[in-house]
């Protein structure tokens, strides 16, 4: 089914008197926000910038908040209250926002996330729509890998360039303990299918959660080196649904590095890091592994906010200028009240213009966002 066919099956929006009042209020709020930003010298054309001069070219799009794993560091065993379907962006709405982002705001990279984006049955159509934009953006996907084995070829044919697969351990019993699902073979099959389909590079994302051990990471790195994947270990952030995050739980970045360096010879990657979130080391070839790379994304202990180039769109059409933002900008409301592209563009610009200097996790007054990671998108 094509995107156009799906659009024709989308029921029309019904707006009652109360809904009309809400729409008018939302439109006025956006108008006021845009005017405030313009009065503060916000550019109304050109790159998507904030008051600190950061240029945002990387768009992260969450396609769904749903997930088919229940990772202990992310959500409770019973899952969460999912976003109602009528609040999710329709295909034509999403394509319109991608077009505005690429043609008007200078977006050069689009990454589809979730929840679990492979649960979006229209994923291939959305990837193809992104690939048809001019200038064509680089297109990536972050996934847990379940179901990837049967869709990798179609995703590459649609235009997917790169993929990140979440995997915290290659020990099957431990994987089942962490994710509450015995699905490690499916993830490994998905990684293999991605490689056979020609995706490159293939990155593996591991979260440095309390249940993840140094042995897990060492074995995972050895696995990645043998298969030509790039391992990136991500410091756990305060975005869990249970709000149980504790910065002292589990291995620290320093302890992790010490553990890895005891098994592998690492050298800092001499290439400039730029806006990339990972600190990267070159792994020298050893007696039981080929050479490769190893990276750490230390968002909490070694924040890189000053180089952040990301703007985020949630599955229900909210722009977030930071993972840890306390406010969102509702572009869905503008899409559905008949606003033109100019209004949506300026609302998006105003949202990013107000981005703070940093995430503030280490500030004494930091408050964890209400939305968990699964509802924001990675």
């Amino acid at each position: 089914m094509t995107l156009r066919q799906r659009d024709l099956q989308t029921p029309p929006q019904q707006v009652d008197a109360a809904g009309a009042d809400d729409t008018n209020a939302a439109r006025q709020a956006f108008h006021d926000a845009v005017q405030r930003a313009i009065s503060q010298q916000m550019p109304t054309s050109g790159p998507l910038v904030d008051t600190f001069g950061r240029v945002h070219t990387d768009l992260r799009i969450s396609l769904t908040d749903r997930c088919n794993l229940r990772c202990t560091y992310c959500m409770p065993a019973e899952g969460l209250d999912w976003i109602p379907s009528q609040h999710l962006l329709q295909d034509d709405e999403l394509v319109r926002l991608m077009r505005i982002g690429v043609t008007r705001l200078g977006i050069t990279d689009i990454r589809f996330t979730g929840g679990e984006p492979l649960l979006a049955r229209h994923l291939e159509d959305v990837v193809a729509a992104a690939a048809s934009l001019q200038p064509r953006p680089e297109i990536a996907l972050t996934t847990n890998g379940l179901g990837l084995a049967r869709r990798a070829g179609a995703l590459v044919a649609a235009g997917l360039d790169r993929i990140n697969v979440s995997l915290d351990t290659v020990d099957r019993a431990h994987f089942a303990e962490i994710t509450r699902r015995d699905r490690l073979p499916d993830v490994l099959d998905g990684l293999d299918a991605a490689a056979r389909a020609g995706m490159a590079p293939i990155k593996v994302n591991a979260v440095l959660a309390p249940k993840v051990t140094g042995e897990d990471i060492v074995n995972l790195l050895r696995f990645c080196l043998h298969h030509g994947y790039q391992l990136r270990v991500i410091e756990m952030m305060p975005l869990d649904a249970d709000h149980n995050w504790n910065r002292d739980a589990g291995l620290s970045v320093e302890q992790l590095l010490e553990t890895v360096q005891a098994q592998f010879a690492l050298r800092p990657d001499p290439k400039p890091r730029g806006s990339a979130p990972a600190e990267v080391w070159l792994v020298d070839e050893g007696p039981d592994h080929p050479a490769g790379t190893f990276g750490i994304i230390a968002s909490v202990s070694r924040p890189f906010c000053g180089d952040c180039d990301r703007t985020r769109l949630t599955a229900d059409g909210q722009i977030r200028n930071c993972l840890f933002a306390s406010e969102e900008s509702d572009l869905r409301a503008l899409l559905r009240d008949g606003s033109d592209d100019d209004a949506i563009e300026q609302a998006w610009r105003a949202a990013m213009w107000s981005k703070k200097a940093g995430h503030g996790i280490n500030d004494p007054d930091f408050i964890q966002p209400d939305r968990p990671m699964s509802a924001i998108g990675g």
Side-chain angles (χ1 to χ4, degrees), residues 24 72 145 230 275 304-305 324:
N24 290 334
T72 53
Q230 300 179 10
S275 60
F304 40 87
C305 302
F324 302 95

Side-chain angles (χ1 to χ4, degrees), residues 3 95 98 102 110 112 123-139 155-161:
L3 278 174
V95 171
M98 289 194 297
V102 169
I110 293 177
F112 295 107
L123 176 59
E124 289 85 354
D125 291 334
V126 172
V127 169
S132 70
L133 295 170
Q134 294 298 326
R136 185 194 189 281
E138 185 86 2
I139 304 169
L155 285 167
V156 170
L160 185 65
D161 299 305

Side-chain angles (χ1 to χ4, degrees), residues 140-320:
L141 177 73
T142 296
T143 172
N144 63 26
L146 300 188
L148 180 60
R150 64 178 180 272
R151 297 177 72 177
L155 285 167
V156 170
L160 185 65
D161 299 305
R162 298 181 289 108
I163 198 164
N164 289 46
V165 177
S166 300
L167 179 61
D168 303 319
T169 180
V170 287
D171 180 279
R172 183 168 179 172
H174 199 191
F175 178 94
E177 178 188 2
I178 292 172
T179 66
R180 302 188 178 104
R181 300 289 189 271
D182 184 14
R183 301 293 299 274
L184 177 61
D186 298 303
V187 179
L188 301 184
D189 287 346
L191 281 164
D192 183 61
R196 286 187 283 105
M199 295 186 205
I202 294 174
K203 296 182 181 180
V204 171
N205 293 347
V207 175
L208 200 58
K211 289 182 178 290
V212 176
T213 68
E215 183 180 5
D216 286 321
I217 300 302
V218 166
N219 291 335
L220 189 55
L221 178 53
R222 187 166 286 116
F223 165 80
C224 288
L225 293 171
H226 276 294
H227 289 84
Y229 309 147
Q230 300 179 10
L231 177 61
R232 300 291 182 263
V233 180
I234 303 172
E235 196 172 35
M236 187 175 172
M237 296 175 284
L239 289 168
D240 57 308
D242 293 325
H243 286 216
N244 289 327
W245 177 78
N246 182 342
R247 69 174 63 245
D248 297 321
L251 290 173
S252 68
V253 168
E254 290 72 21
Q255 291 170 325
L256 172 65
L257 268 176
E258 183 178 341
T259 299
V260 173
Q261 287 173 326
Q263 301 290 327
F264 303 91
L266 304 183
R267 294 177 290 117
D269 189 342
K271 290 185 295 188
R273 179 176 173 181
S275 60
E279 296 180 70
V280 178
W281 287 264
L282 304 179
V283 185
D284 292 336
E285 185 173 357
D288 60 349
H289 64 82
T293 66
F294 169 69
I296 295 179
I297 300 175
S299 304
V300 177
S301 61
R302 304 179 183 181
F304 40 87
C305 302
D307 294 313
C308 181
D309 65 348
R310 299 176 182 179
T311 180
R312 300 176 183 275
L313 177 65
T314 65
D316 56 348
Q318 313 298 306
I319 286 293
R320 296 180 65 89

Side-chain angles (χ1 to χ4, degrees), residues 10-15 86 88 90 93 336:
T10 300
Q13 300 296 321
Q14 300 296 326
V15 181
Q86 67 270 25
L88 299 175
Q90 300 297 319
E93 295 171 332
R336 295 183 180 179

